[in-house]
Amino acid sequence: RFLRQHVRAVTAQSYAKRVRQLAKLADVENPERIRSVICAYPVSEARKELLANAYDYYCEYRGFQWIKPHFAREDKAIFLPLESELNALVANTREKLSVYLQLLKETGADSGEAWKLRWIDIDAERNTVAITPTKNHNARTLRVSANLLARLLKLPRLNERVFASKNLDRFRWRYERARNDLAKKLENARIRQIAFRSFRHWKATMEYHRTK
């Protein structure tokens, strides 16, 4: 409850998951010990930073004092999938997940933005969807293909939201399982690297080349 007053629900769930991960390594009631564990943990600097951010919220909640370590993220090139690889994922996943992936590909929406899409955000007359922003993004209305619009409107209307589930992490887990199965089937290890954000990176690159 404390976390959800400060950050998005999906972010709070991620933070709680990381604190539970730390609890398996050391006593989370001992900030100095946790600090040492995070600094020595054999993961990337970016991963250490995420763990430190999550534990920082836990310390605020518990009233602990600690010195939060800072980590320099490695400068890594963004993995950019091929359009054919994205299309393969859209074509070889179950209906709701397939439509969700196509929405990411056509709009470049953040996974959380696409997840929050409501039926009233779809304008069938203009072939557009209204994107409610997350993080520091802007609200926007985007055109989609007739094919995507038709597929969206065929999904069952179980509640006000198109994808009708409360747990994005569970949905992401199902995607990763389907993605890994497809990578094995097609003998294409690159597909294993395609995360939800990869669709956004691909779309941004295409828009850059189109508009400079």
Side-chain angles (χ1 to χ4, degrees):
R1 288 193 298 269
F2 171 81
L3 274 173
R4 290 183 178 182
Q5 292 173 1
H6 294 73
V7 298
R8 293 185 303 144
V10 65
T11 305
Q13 291 168 6
S14 296
Y15 282 179
K17 181 179 179 179
R18 290 170 193 143
V19 171
R20 288 194 295 269
Q21 180 183 354
L22 290 171
K24 296 178 181 179
L25 303 173
D27 180 7
V28 291
E29 303 295 297
N30 186 336
E32 286 305 309
R33 176 59 181 152
I34 290 294
R35 189 176 192 276
S36 298
V37 166
I38 293 175
C39 290
Y41 204 36
V43 294
S44 69
E45 297 293 286
R47 179 64 179 172
K48 290 178 182 179
E49 183 179 15
L50 292 175
L51 291 170
N53 289 343
Y55 189 68
D56 195 53
Y57 272 102
Y58 182 77
C59 284
E60 185 179 350
Y61 168 62
R62 297 286 289 152
F64 296 153
Q65 296 294 320
W66 86 310
I67 300 174
K68 180 184 174 184
H70 295 280
F71 303 97
R73 293 191 175 217
E74 301 96 332
D75 186 14
K76 290 185 178 180
I78 292 175
F79 172 73
L80 193 65
L82 302 174
E83 183 173 15
S84 60
E85 293 167 339
L86 300 184
N87 289 342
L89 285 164
V90 172
N92 290 278
T93 47
R94 292 187 177 183
E95 185 65 15
K96 185 166 73 170
L97 178 55
S98 173
V99 175
Y100 179 80
L101 296 179
Q102 188 175 349
L103 178 66
L104 295 181
K105 179 175 181 284
E106 290 195 16
T107 65
D110 175 87
S111 59
E113 294 172 336
W115 187 246
K116 294 192 298 183
L117 187 71
R118 301 168 300 171
W119 293 108
I120 61 172
D121 296 328
I122 300 174
D123 188 335
E125 294 294 322
R126 297 180 176 85
N127 275 43
T128 62
V129 293
I131 301 296
T132 301
T134 61
K135 302 177 183 177
N136 297 317
H137 302 163
N138 297 318
R140 54 216 185 273
T141 299
L142 304 171
R143 289 190 62 84
V144 297
S145 68
N147 174 265
L148 174 55
L149 181 66
R151 298 187 75 202
L152 282 167
L153 296 177
K154 284 182 181 179
L155 293 175
R157 300 197 179 202
L158 303 179
N159 59 39
E160 67 173 354
R161 284 169 42 191
V162 175
F163 297 104
S165 176
K166 297 180 180 179
N167 195 326
L168 178 56
D169 283 342
R170 180 72 175 173
F171 197 62
R172 183 180 287 107
W173 175 81
R174 290 176 180 171
Y175 162 71
E176 290 172 352
R177 186 173 63 174
R179 175 200 64 191
N180 294 344
D181 287 345
L182 182 63
K184 183 177 180 180
K185 177 182 177 180
L186 299 180
E187 298 182 344
N188 183 352
R190 285 173 48 87
I191 290 177
R192 287 181 177 270
Q193 300 183 63
I194 301 176
F196 283 160
R197 64 179 175 274
S198 303
F199 288 79
R200 181 172 173 82
H201 293 161
W202 177 85
K203 179 65 173 179
T205 302
M206 294 302 103
E207 286 299 300
Y208 173 77
H209 284 299
R210 184 177 69 85
T211 66
K212 302 302 180 186

